[in-house]
Amino acid sequence: MKVAIVHDWLTTYAGSEKVLEQMLELFPEADLFSTVDFLSGSERQFLRGKEVHTSFIQKLPLAKKKYRQYLPLMPMAVEQFDLSPYDLILSSSHAVSKGVITGPNQLHISYVHSPIRYAWDLQHQYLKESGLQKGLKGMAAKWMLSKIRMWDYRTSNGVDYFIANSGFISSRIWKVYRRESQVIYPPANVSAFAYQEEKDDFYLTASRMVPYKKMDLIVEAFSKMPDKQLVVIGDGPEMEKVRQRAGSNVQILGYQEDEVLIERMQRAKAFVFAAEEDFGITVVEAQACGTPVIAYGKGGSLETIQGLDSPNPTGVFFEEQSVGSIIAGVQRFEAEGRRISPEQCRRNAMSFTPDAFKRNLKDFIDAKLAVKSASRLRSTDLEIPQVL
């Protein structure tokens, strides 16, 4: 069986790349396709030397830094991949890779991290944060997103089976494609995040500093609670905005290697998370360290954290992405957090191991391959009447 794995773009080693890593372990002989490949030498080890087949976007001007600006060309780019020699196509998609062209004798299974966020329910947030609500540029962006929505919906018919990375994304898949999907939670490398029971008197948040992560709100909330210490790890375009809102009780470390992140996660009183994520691997990693989570109660967090209404809670939810709501969440944690045990946090995180992901993914693919094989056998058994 020949297998092709298609990924949106390879520019960093983050959540979707951790899923890709496990797919490559499951199918080590598979060929890999991506619109672009700009991984640095230190980040591409998970590919294990595998050649990446890229699209024409790889060679366009400034593609390394501005690849996202070529989004209007990406549907055409993935459609140019010739996947006709392959029996199984496995796409890992949060943008365009699910739109590859396949034939009736091929099996296409798409693992969806999310339908294209900025083209569907997060379009208005994207346009607002990008300053594209008005003017000619705004009109052009809205037209482009409209075209991408039409393409995205049409190409959903080319997927035989959908896998969603959470129940939250399964609901999105049904909303935009009207297709059923199987939930298989993505892997978290919990073995790298060692358990530690003893905690210090500080809170931690860590993320890329991009608008939807709401790091600025977390920093502002703690700046209004000067008796509480916050450590911030991460970098990105929102860094200056975050720095401007930081009080003297907020320590901003910027980008840090995994060793520093893990050490702070192990020691933190709680991990604070304000994004509406599809899944949210960092909250699982924090729990693997035995660290409770204070999180925005929407999206994938509701599936990875056990709230205070659970018999075995691992965290506290706050209701809104606002400074006041974050403060209320921290205050509730300090009042009721004694009900959360480090052991239960670790136990909850162990539900999301790479082995569990690979086992569930393999079982799903094997079952669908069996269905495909049985269908082929039935079709060859059909009698074709002769025309006299």
Side-chain angles (χ1 to χ4, degrees):
M1 183 178 66
K2 292 198 67 176
V3 180
I5 299 177
V6 189
H7 195 66
D8 288 315
W9 49 72
L10 289 166
T11 58
T12 188
Y13 179 64
S16 62
E17 286 70 36
K18 292 175 182 178
V19 168
L20 175 62
E21 180 178 17
Q22 299 306 315
M23 289 179 175
L24 291 172
E25 286 195 13
L26 200 57
F27 298 100
E29 302 302 319
D31 290 332
L32 178 59
F33 296 80
S34 177
T35 55
V36 297
D37 173 19
F38 295 119
L39 286 172
S40 64
S42 61
E43 289 184 307
R44 63 187 310 107
Q45 295 177 358
F46 76 99
L47 298 179
R48 300 183 178 182
K50 185 174 290 293
E51 178 187 2
V52 180
H53 302 278
T54 57
S55 73
F56 64 84
I57 295 176
Q58 180 81 17
K59 297 181 180 180
L60 293 181
L62 303 176
K64 186 171 185 178
K65 291 185 177 180
K66 304 289 186 180
Y67 67 94
R68 290 180 184 271
Q69 295 188 11
Y70 288 116
L71 180 64
L73 299 178
M74 286 185 180
M76 179 171 64
V78 298
E79 289 177 346
Q80 301 310 305
F81 291 139
D82 180 10
L83 303 180
S84 58
Y86 299 95
D87 305 295
L88 170 65
I89 292 88
L90 187 58
S91 58
S92 166
S93 182
H94 57 76
V96 297
S97 67
K98 75 145 193 34
V100 292
I101 296 175
T102 60
N105 292 323
Q106 298 172 294
L107 181 65
H108 179 191
I109 296 175
S110 186
Y111 187 95
V112 176
H113 307 276
S114 176
I116 309 176
R117 298 178 184 91
Y118 24 85
W120 291 101
D121 54 316
L122 298 184
Q123 174 192 255
H124 299 292
Q125 179 181 330
Y126 165 73
L127 292 171
K128 181 179 179 181
E129 292 172 348
S130 302
L132 295 172
Q133 292 175 292
K134 301 178 181 178
L136 290 176
K137 286 186 176 181
M139 290 178 61
K142 292 170 187 175
W143 178 85
M144 181 267 291
L145 292 174
S146 175
K147 292 295 183 182
I148 287 179
R149 276 194 299 276
M150 289 189 285
W151 175 86
D152 191 38
Y153 178 78
R154 176 181 61 79
T155 57
S156 67
N157 294 313
V159 177
D160 294 294
Y161 299 100
F162 280 101
I163 301 173
N165 76 349
S166 64
F168 179 63
I169 291 304
S170 183
S171 298
R172 267 188 177 163
I173 290 171
W174 174 255
K175 183 75 173 180
V176 302
Y177 304 142
R178 282 298 188 262
R179 294 286 302 277
E180 299 286 349
S181 57
Q182 174 72 38
V183 174
I184 298 179
Y185 292 118
N189 188 16
V190 296
S191 61
F193 291 78
Y195 171 77
Q196 181 170 309
E197 188 167 351
E198 297 299 321
K199 304 298 178 183
D200 291 344
D201 191 20
F202 70 88
Y203 293 85
L204 173 71
T205 187
S207 174
R208 288 178 294 120
M209 292 190 184
V210 292
Y212 85 94
K213 295 289 189 178
K214 307 298 182 185
M215 296 286 278
D216 57 323
L217 295 183
I218 296 174
V219 168
E220 184 174 348
F222 274 85
S223 296
K224 294 180 181 294
M225 298 182 287
D227 58 321
K228 305 183 196 323
Q229 302 297 312
L230 175 70
V231 174
V232 181
I233 293 177
D235 203 351
E238 295 270 288
M239 173 61 91
E240 187 56 36
K241 184 178 181 180
V242 169
R243 288 190 185 280
Q244 290 176 358
R245 300 192 180 193
S248 58
N249 61 319
V250 177
Q251 183 183 14
I252 299 177
L253 301 183
Y255 171 79
Q256 296 293 325
E257 298 292 340
D258 286 347
E259 292 79 6
V260 176
L261 172 63
I262 293 170
E263 186 265 341
R264 296 303 171 100
M265 271 190 174
Q266 291 170 326
R267 292 169 44 211
K269 177 190 293 189
F271 184 81
V272 187
F273 189 77
E276 181 183 337
E277 282 281 20
D278 311 324
F279 177 73
I281 284 180
T282 53
V283 301
V284 176
E285 293 169 341
Q287 291 173 85
C289 295
T291 300
V293 181
I294 303 170
Y296 177 45
K298 194 173 180 182
S301 294
L302 294 173
E303 300 174 60
T304 56
I305 302 165
Q306 302 295 317
L308 288 175
D309 57 346
S310 167
N312 298 296
T314 65
V316 172
F317 294 116
F318 53 88
E319 296 180 355
E320 299 175 354
Q321 290 176 309
S322 67
V323 171
S325 191
I326 294 170
I327 292 173
V330 174
Q331 291 173 340
R332 189 179 183 197
F333 171 76
E334 298 217 332
E336 303 182 55
R338 65 181 66 88
R339 294 172 47 201
I340 302 172
S341 73
E343 294 88 351
Q344 179 56 34
C345 292
R346 175 73 179 184
R347 192 176 303 117
N348 188 51
M350 294 305 291
S351 304
F352 306 99
T353 63
D355 285 344
F357 171 80
K358 284 187 289 189
R359 181 175 62 253
N360 293 334
L361 181 61
K362 184 179 186 302
D363 289 347
F364 182 86
I365 292 173
D366 286 348
K368 302 312 177 186
L369 283 170
V371 171
K372 188 75 171 178
S373 178
S375 176
R376 286 174 180 167
L377 288 173
R378 285 195 299 270
S379 66
T380 58
D381 288 341
L382 293 177
E383 291 187 5
I384 303 176
Q386 293 185 358
V387 178
L388 297 178

